[in-house]
Amino acid sequence: MTGQAKGGRRDRPWLMRTYSGHSSAKASNELYRKNLAKGQTGLSVAFDLPTQTGYDADHPLARGEVGRVGVPICSIADMETLFEGIPIAQMNTSMTINATAPWLLALYVAAAERQGATPAELHGTTQNDIIKEYLSRGTYIFPPRPSLRLTSDMIAYTVRRIPKWNPINVCSYHLQEAGATPVQELAYALSTAIAVLDAVRDAGEVDAAEIPAVVARISFFVNAGIRFVEECCKIRAFTEMWDALTAERYGVTDGKSRRFRYGVQVNSLGLTEQQPENNVQRIVLEMLAVVLSKSARARAVQLPAWNEALGLPRPWDQQWSLRIQQVMAFETDLLEYGDILDGSPVIAAKVDELIAGARAEMARIEELGGMVEAIESGYVKRQLVASHTARLRAIESGEQVIVGVNAFRESEVSPLTTGSASILKVDGAAEREQIERLRGFRGRRNPDEVELALCGLVEAAKNGANIMEPSIRCAHAGVTTGEWAEALRDVFGDYRPATGIDIGSHSLGDPARIDELRRRVRETSNAVGRHLRLLVAKPGLDGHSNGAEQIAVKARDAGFEVIYDGIRLTPAQIAVAAMEEGVHLLGLSVLSGSHLGLVESVLAELRERGLGALPIVLGGIIPDDDADELRARGVAAVYTPKDVDMNRMIGEMVDIIRETSGLAPFGRV
Amino acid sequence: MPANARPIGEWVSALLSGERRAVADALNVLDDRRPAAVAIAGKLLAALPTERIEHEGQIIGLTGPPGVGKSSLSAVLIAAWRTQGKRVGVLAVDPTSPLSGGALLGDRLRMAQGAPDPGVFIRSLAGRGEIGGLAALVLPMARVMATAFDVVLLETIGVGQSEVDVALHSDTTVLVVQPASGDTLQFLKAGVTEIPAVVAVNKADLGRPARKARDEMEAALRYAPMADWVVPVLLCSALYKSGVDDLVAALERHRLLLSQTGRLRQRRRDGVAAWGLRRLREEFGRHGVEILGGADSVLARFTEGDAPFYDVLEASRAELLQRFGSRTI
Ligand code: B12
Ligand SMILES: Nc1nc2c(ncn2[C@@H]2O[C@H](COP(=O)(O)OP(=O)(O)OP(=O)(O)O)[C@@H](O)[C@H]2O)c(=O)[nH]1
Ligand SMILES: [Mg+2]
């Protein structure tokens, strides 16, 4: 149906969410209540990295990360605090949680039960897509196969016990944030869905007749970039492909169960540090792509804020983004019409092109043995790194225009960014207080009950019984997040996925500059006697790997021998690697905000091994004040998202090595 | 002047006591091409205790196609040796990009897990493209590591020269294969690939195809018997840590065989001799080797007598330099 809706009837708008949470359960609870009062219609919980990777607040790896990028949830007590005064049964809650998803769902169910609700009443979503964690998001714990088994346990449990729950949100969002093209997003997200559904089917807990019900509960979390026509078509392609896939592969006959249900967060990778006010236009256009098609409209939308590349958003910044959605939904006439793109030959042709590309790539994945094999072999990760390299080369060369970055750079002074107060600063006391709360909680529980509950968990993990019931028992017994994850680590082991940086050097950028860099690397290698070696390392729990990967690839292309061991290393591991590998330079990358503490610890570990003179550079989300402080502590250079000229950075790194060895610097490349 | 060079005697005792910083410094100086460093490296190599580098420890070469799980397997082997109290040094070789001269060295990712262990030392090496470039380095580096650690593990992609080098530089070579590895099998049958001491069929967790690969390997190796050693073909899974005990036991049996039959010293000397011959040939050409009495005679210089290998090399060089006059310096 096209044309204006009758009687001024408008479609119901999508769910409007703001991804938030910080410091503590109490502080986050206050924030949520305020957001709900402002008209937000659902909650989207951001957890801190220790919670996402299964460590308690007092674990050494959690140092500096507690409450920083999300809310710390160590136990049922924290979960109850998070929802104090918020009736869980009436909430639609989205939880961005993956490796520890069964546990956070268990805590959520247990907290709801303590509020007097039953599981069957609950609505919401757990992200729970482990595959994209290996590819982009980085909060994996166990190897792929046991992880998928946990996913399939959760699906089997919720389909029966919490029928309105979305147990998994298959994410293409994070793939685009790691550089994926629209075709890759389509292909890898749908291949992931296949891997998950096959796992559920093969696990045998739900019988064949229930599979359509399972399919109907699968939802997606999609990205929308700035090429909004193409993005609009991508969404339509998703809709068509999912419809066909669920009918053909899983025999779902009911058309409604084959609907591609999805939420969106629009692209953040393209949001810039330079002239950050321009990000608002970007966000609006990106959002348009996913709400424009009535037949493929997003169910839920959350938007990043204008200051995305500067640091965490403050409540006011998030309010601005919420208002963008509200203007779109309530002021414009968008929701009064049928699908305005139906019948457009241009759109149809683009959709077909995307589908053809995605089908070809999905066939490739099948050929490799499916998504799990393609993860284990590193194939998919390499494809993503290669796409991201191509994207950055295009920006570097100016072929892809980014206003304020490689074009139209001159700017008046922005009143928005004057002073360092334009981002949220997390209270340093949050970590200490959380640790105190956790220790208090541990002291109050019944150790025998905890022990018994954990035994039940381990047994289920080993014998293949569904993990959810024992997890809920653990929640009630007072097991902590770290204990739950540790118990399963003992059974399943830890996993480190492929880094994907071993790609060919096809897109090198400006050949003259790369040749010049190679000459400098060669000459400096000769002068210092050994081939230049660079250790690129990511300390802490931070999973943002893009920058480190791209620096590693670029440095390799410039002639460095590069050692990069992936994310989540301790300062001690990094210092040991620097010594054993005899590197000339250490490049750290930290985007999680915990750079001050982490750099300090790395420096201390280096000194302890007699490497105090090893030069260090740092890249990431580093506010100016902190950058000054770090340089004062001896960091040779600090880079942030505005440094997009990687050739220049590599040139400077060569010069830093030269200066350390008493050689004259070459200067600008 | 290379940084952190120390008095040679002190350095060697530090190596013998397994001091990690001393190992790192030694590897750096071996890698250093500046004349001053080359001189120090020579002194250091010449001072390595013969007893240790000819009779003790075990140098194990792990080879196999890309991605079969050599590094993952190294990790589980390391863990097994550590529980036996053995200290382990690893040299992991990755290929270099012929265009840029750069390399991505990614083997630590799977090997260096958990809290740093003072009993494990990993150095990654780039293949460096140049023929013989790597070979020139690996042997001395392995000797330094063997001075400091009980077990030395060499990981290389088993293709071309590096595979030959591994065979040359290690006491015990392990060929790692995976299910459906037809190529490797063909190479073995055709004699292109050196017969390893042990074959490990990794990724046994994949089930039937792994067992099939083992059966095929066993059949292929039946036609290449060695006098007193039957090449074990073992199923293992680095991911699920299964089959590791058998692999560790097979490696230990091979070590005992070599050392009890006196072949350990012989094998190490042969390796050094081949290495020395190659270095001389690279520097002075075929003609130079002829002057020294031909390849066999050069090899004999290294394998016979008790002089430390580096002294033999230097003596031969000196001889040739004198013959060639100043032209070659
Ligand atoms: C892409 C992205 C992601 C991707 C990451 C994909 C990946 N594998 O890298 C995804 C979607 C997975 C993600 C997830 C999260 N993200 Co995020 N993310 C970003 C985003 C949008 C871009 C970062 C990026 O990749 N840029 C592209 C690369 C190439 O640039 P770069 O890393 O800055 O690197 C450049 C320089 O900094 C420098 N550099 C960087 N490292 C190094 C190292 C060396 C040696 C050198 C020389 C140079 C150098 O050189 C590069 C060249 O230009 C930023 C915001 C922004 N626009 O910057 C937020 C941002 C970093 N994310 C943030 C957060 C909070 C998260 C989450 C923790 C949210 C949560 N609570 O769950 C999660 C969890 C991730 C985790 N496990 O840690 C915050 C961090 C807040 C803070 N620092 O205080 C940011 C700033 C957004 C925000 N404003 O809130 N994110
Ligand atoms: N299923 C399974 N996968 C494994 C096993 N061992 C290793 N892998 C996976 O195989 C991939 C390659 O493993 P690596 O240990 O890096 O292999 P490698 O031979 O060292 O690789 P290169 O150094 O690149 O040649 C990784 O994704 C591992 O997780 C195993 O026993 N079973
Ligand atoms: Mg390897």
Side-chain angles (χ1 to χ4, degrees):
Chain A
M1 187 195 61
T2 49
Q4 186 151 14
K6 282 191 217 108
R9 244 200 61 203
R10 299 167 64 90
D11 289 326
R12 252 194 6 186
W14 51 90
L15 222 51
M16 298 181 192
R17 288 178 166 140
T18 313
Y19 184 40
S20 53
H22 66 90
S23 304
S24 67
K26 189 158 179 298
S28 302
N29 171 267
E30 281 160 18
L31 178 70
Y32 295 167
R33 288 209 252 177
K34 232 172 26 199
N35 288 347
L36 290 169
K38 280 184 193 157
Q40 185 177 309
T41 48
L43 288 180
S44 173
V45 183
F47 295 98
D48 71 357
L49 291 173
T51 305
Q52 296 190 50
T53 50
Y55 295 111
D56 279 336
D58 57 352
H59 192 280
L61 271 167
R63 211 160 63 210
E65 312 271 14
V66 178
R68 187 172 290 279
V69 295
V71 56
I73 300 291
C74 296
S75 71
I76 177 101
D78 292 333
M79 193 58 108
E80 287 189 272
T81 308
L82 190 65
F83 286 94
E84 210 169 287
I86 303 175
I88 296 183
Q90 282 151 46
M91 268 302 110
N92 187 323
T93 307
S94 163
M95 294 192 264
T96 300
I97 196 71
N98 295 278
T100 54
W103 174 240
L104 271 298
L105 178 62
L107 289 175
Y108 190 75
V109 169
E113 286 173 346
R114 289 188 183 184
Q115 280 191 0
T118 60
E121 290 174 89
L122 306 180
H123 300 242
T125 305
T126 31
Q127 191 167 76
N128 201 21
D129 167 6
I130 198 71
I131 297 290
K132 62 87 175 67
E133 295 295 326
Y134 304 121
L135 293 173
S136 167
R137 204 169 163 284
T139 65
Y140 45 78
I141 301 178
F142 320 114
R145 286 161 214 269
S147 295
L148 265 189
R149 176 228 147 165
L150 294 182
T151 309
S152 128
D153 281 1
M154 265 180 83
I155 294 175
Y157 175 83
T158 56
V159 163
R160 289 172 179 176
R161 308 293 300 279
I162 324 181
K164 280 176 282 185
W165 197 263
N166 299 308
I168 178 171
N169 222 338
V170 177
C171 297
S172 80
Y173 168 78
H174 308 83
L175 305 181
Q176 182 175 129
E177 295 295 302
T181 62
V183 163
Q184 288 174 328
E185 250 189 90
L186 285 163
Y188 301 147
L190 292 174
S191 296
T192 298
I194 289 176
V196 169
L197 285 172
D198 284 4
V200 174
R201 190 190 55 198
D202 299 345
E205 191 179 343
V206 300
D207 41 54
E210 282 176 292
I211 290 291
V214 170
V215 170
R217 293 321 303 164
I218 306 285
S219 59
F220 288 78
F221 184 50
V222 178
N223 207 324
I226 194 69
R227 294 170 53 81
F228 84 94
V229 177
E230 185 172 25
E231 292 294 49
C232 199
C233 295
K234 178 186 78 190
I235 301 296
R236 296 171 79 91
F238 257 130
T239 308
E240 280 186 33
M241 291 180 80
W242 184 242
D243 185 74
L245 176 70
T246 50
E248 288 156 19
R249 191 173 180 113
Y250 301 105
V252 182
T253 47
D254 173 21
K256 246 180 75 191
S257 301
R258 300 201 306 266
R259 283 279 315 255
F260 181 73
R261 298 180 311 122
Y262 74 102
V264 169
Q265 154 111 4
V266 305
N267 182 289
S268 314
L269 181 63
L271 301 182
T272 62
E273 182 181 351
Q274 298 91 325
Q275 302 179 27
E277 62 279 4
N278 295 336
N279 292 331
V280 174
Q281 296 83 287
R282 296 187 178 109
I283 292 168
V284 172
L285 289 168
E286 289 166 351
M287 170 173 189
L288 193 57
V290 296
V291 295
L292 199 55
S293 307
K294 176 170 172 156
S295 64
R297 185 168 290 146
R299 296 279 173 125
V301 174
Q302 56 193 37
L303 300 179
W306 68 275
N307 54 353
E308 170 77 13
L310 306 180
L312 290 171
R314 299 158 299 178
W316 177 78
D317 308 315
Q318 296 200 315
Q319 174 189 309
W320 190 355
S321 289
L322 177 62
R323 295 290 182 253
I324 293 176
Q325 298 204 44
Q326 290 164 338
V327 168
M328 184 84 83
F330 303 119
E331 291 189 21
T332 77
D333 55 354
L334 179 73
L335 294 177
E336 293 167 13
Y337 293 89
D339 194 303
I340 59 174
L341 297 172
D342 271 352
S344 156
V346 177
I347 296 287
K350 184 68 192 174
V351 170
D352 288 346
E353 180 197 317
L354 290 170
I355 291 179
R359 290 235 160 97
E361 187 59 13
M362 287 173 78
R364 175 102 188 95
I365 299 289
E366 284 273 20
E367 219 171 84
L368 292 172
M371 199 58 179
V372 170
E373 278 77 3
I375 296 287
E376 285 175 346
S377 71
Y379 168 79
V380 184
K381 181 65 180 168
R382 275 195 298 276
Q383 298 304 108
L384 295 182
V385 173
S387 292
H388 201 180
T389 305
R391 169 182 174 268
L392 290 181
R393 295 292 177 277
I395 294 172
E396 226 175 22
S397 70
E399 189 186 317
Q400 180 175 338
V401 171
I402 302 195
V403 173
V405 173
N406 60 7
F408 313 110
R409 276 196 292 246
E410 51 296 318
S411 174
E412 304 291 336
V413 175
S414 159
L416 278 177
T417 50
T418 41
S420 61
S422 56
I423 52 169
L424 182 84
K425 289 259 154 93
V426 177
D427 179 8
E431 181 162 318
R432 194 173 28 83
E433 288 167 14
Q434 178 66 12
I435 292 176
E436 279 163 18
R437 257 191 307 276
L438 170 66
R439 297 207 165 134
F441 175 83
R442 283 203 198 110
R444 285 194 305 276
R445 54 190 195 167
N446 178 340
D448 296 337
E449 273 176 35
V450 169
E451 182 81 358
L452 197 68
L454 279 172
C455 280
L457 177 71
V458 167
E459 194 165 310
K462 283 186 177 154
N463 71 19
N466 195 306
I467 208 78
M468 283 309 303
E469 299 280 4
S471 295
I472 295 169
R473 272 196 294 280
C474 283
H476 279 299
V479 166
T480 65
T481 299
E483 289 164 347
W484 181 87
E486 185 61 32
L488 295 188
R489 278 185 159 102
D490 284 345
V491 180
F492 299 139
D494 275 290
Y495 187 70
R496 295 178 69 73
T499 60
I501 59 171
D502 45 339
I503 55 168
S505 16
H506 23 261
S507 51
L508 282 172
D510 182 352
R513 290 180 88 200
I514 204 83
D515 281 348
E516 169 60 16
L517 279 177
R518 287 176 182 173
R519 186 190 66 79
R520 291 181 179 194
V521 170
R522 253 192 331 268
E523 224 169 81
T524 309
S525 297
N526 289 337
V528 302
R530 294 191 292 136
H531 203 110
L532 291 194
R533 289 165 77 89
L534 165 71
L535 174 63
V536 177
K538 287 200 54 72
L541 292 178
D542 177 22
H544 291 91
S545 58
N546 289 339
E549 288 157 6
Q550 293 303 325
I551 291 290
V553 169
K554 186 66 156 190
R556 187 274 314 261
D557 289 345
F560 273 90
E561 290 180 5
V562 181
I563 293 121
Y564 171 62
D565 298 333
I567 59 172
R568 280 156 65 182
L569 297 178
T570 62
Q573 285 175 313
I574 292 169
V576 164
M579 180 193 71
E580 292 182 358
E581 299 292 357
V583 297
H584 297 95
L585 179 69
L586 168 58
L588 299 172
S589 180
V590 184
L591 282 83
S592 67
S594 40
H595 42 269
L596 288 177
L598 285 170
V599 170
E600 187 67 54
S601 311
V602 171
L603 287 171
E605 295 284 350
L606 287 172
R607 277 194 302 270
E608 201 173 294
R609 290 170 181 80
L611 291 176
L614 180 71
I616 295 189
V617 296
L618 168 71
I621 305 289
I622 318 290
D624 289 346
D625 302 352
D626 292 354
D628 291 341
E629 187 174 336
L630 288 164
R631 276 186 292 259
R633 286 194 215 162
V635 174
V638 177
Y639 299 102
T640 65
K642 70 175 177 308
D643 296 303
V644 290
D645 183 351
M646 286 205 270
N647 289 328
R648 200 204 79 218
M649 292 158 68
I650 301 288
E652 288 173 7
M653 286 156 69
V654 173
D655 277 349
I656 288 167
I657 295 175
R658 293 183 69 83
E659 282 168 345
T660 312
S661 315
L663 301 164
F666 285 119
R668 248 186 126 82
V669 192
Chain B
M1 182 61 189
N4 300 314
R6 7 178 154 184
I8 296 295
E10 219 174 86
W11 205 342
V12 171
S13 356
L15 288 177
L16 279 168
S17 70
E19 192 199 306
R20 302 154 54 73
R21 189 55 209 265
V23 178
D25 292 342
L27 298 179
N28 292 350
V29 86
L30 288 175
D31 199 5
D32 199 325
R33 295 180 297 258
R34 290 173 297 178
V38 172
I40 295 172
K43 287 202 193 102
L44 181 65
L45 286 175
L48 295 179
T50 307
E51 173 63 19
R52 178 108 192 111
I53 61 172
E54 287 192 355
H55 296 280
E56 293 174 6
Q58 188 175 20
I59 303 176
I60 296 170
L62 212 56
T63 154
V68 290
K70 299 180 291 295
S71 301
S72 309
L73 206 52
S74 300
V76 290
L77 284 171
I78 292 169
W81 286 320
R82 292 300 294 141
T83 56
Q84 298 176 353
K86 288 186 177 159
R87 299 162 48 88
V88 188
V90 181
L91 284 174
V93 184
D94 277 316
T96 298
S97 151
L99 274 178
S100 65
L104 291 167
L105 308 173
D107 294 311
R108 297 183 74 86
L109 173 73
R110 311 230 167 269
M111 287 192 227
Q113 298 185 359
D117 176 349
V120 181
F121 188 110
I122 302 167
R123 167 69 60 109
S124 312
L125 287 177
R128 305 256 167 101
E130 339 131 36
I131 295 177
L134 176 69
L137 268 183
V138 168
L139 185 128
M141 285 190 170
R143 291 301 185 272
V144 161
M145 280 203 163
T147 308
F149 305 113
D150 304 307
V151 184
V152 177
L153 202 56
L154 307 177
E155 177 191 330
T156 65
I157 290 176
V159 283
Q161 193 56 49
S162 66
E163 186 228 349
V164 178
D165 289 340
V166 166
L168 207 64
H169 296 332
S170 51
D171 312 329
T172 305
T173 54
V174 183
L175 175 64
V176 189
V177 299
Q178 64 184 3
S181 43
D183 288 357
T184 315
L185 190 67
Q186 292 313 320
F187 289 154
L188 262 182
K189 278 184 176 164
V192 178
T193 297
E194 187 104 356
I195 302 296
V198 178
V199 174
V201 181
N202 190 36
K203 308 197 183 181
D205 49 281
L206 299 181
R208 223 169 50 88
R211 289 192 295 276
K212 183 159 170 270
R214 180 205 42 202
D215 295 346
E216 287 169 356
M217 274 296 158
E218 256 173 1
L221 288 164
R222 206 167 295 147
Y223 303 105
M226 286 187 236
D228 50 0
W229 179 256
V230 180
V231 179
V233 181
L234 304 169
L235 280 176
C236 59
S237 164
L239 195 59
Y240 294 98
K241 302 180 174 53
S242 66
V244 186
D245 294 348
D246 288 349
L247 182 54
V248 170
L251 294 171
E252 178 61 10
R253 265 190 293 121
H254 195 253
R255 187 188 70 81
L256 285 172
L257 176 74
L258 291 183
S259 84
Q260 281 162 4
T261 56
R263 270 181 287 177
L264 181 65
R265 176 170 185 271
Q266 194 54 46
R267 202 179 153 90
R268 289 195 182 166
R269 288 208 144 211
D270 286 347
V272 160
W275 168 84
L277 173 62
R278 193 143 86 205
R279 303 244 350 216
L280 290 169
R281 196 176 272 149
E282 267 161 30
E283 192 173 349
F284 302 99
R286 265 222 312 265
H287 182 56
V289 173
E290 288 311 318
I291 292 174
L292 293 175
D296 286 344
S297 149
V298 171
L299 291 174
R301 288 171 181 232
F302 285 94
T303 48
E304 287 157 17
D306 287 320
F309 73 97
Y310 204 83
D311 287 351
V312 177
L313 178 69
E314 286 303 302
S316 308
R317 285 187 71 235
E319 211 177 309
L320 284 167
L321 287 173
Q322 204 182 12
R323 290 275 195 101
F324 284 136
S326 55
R327 274 175 303 141
T328 338
I329 308 175

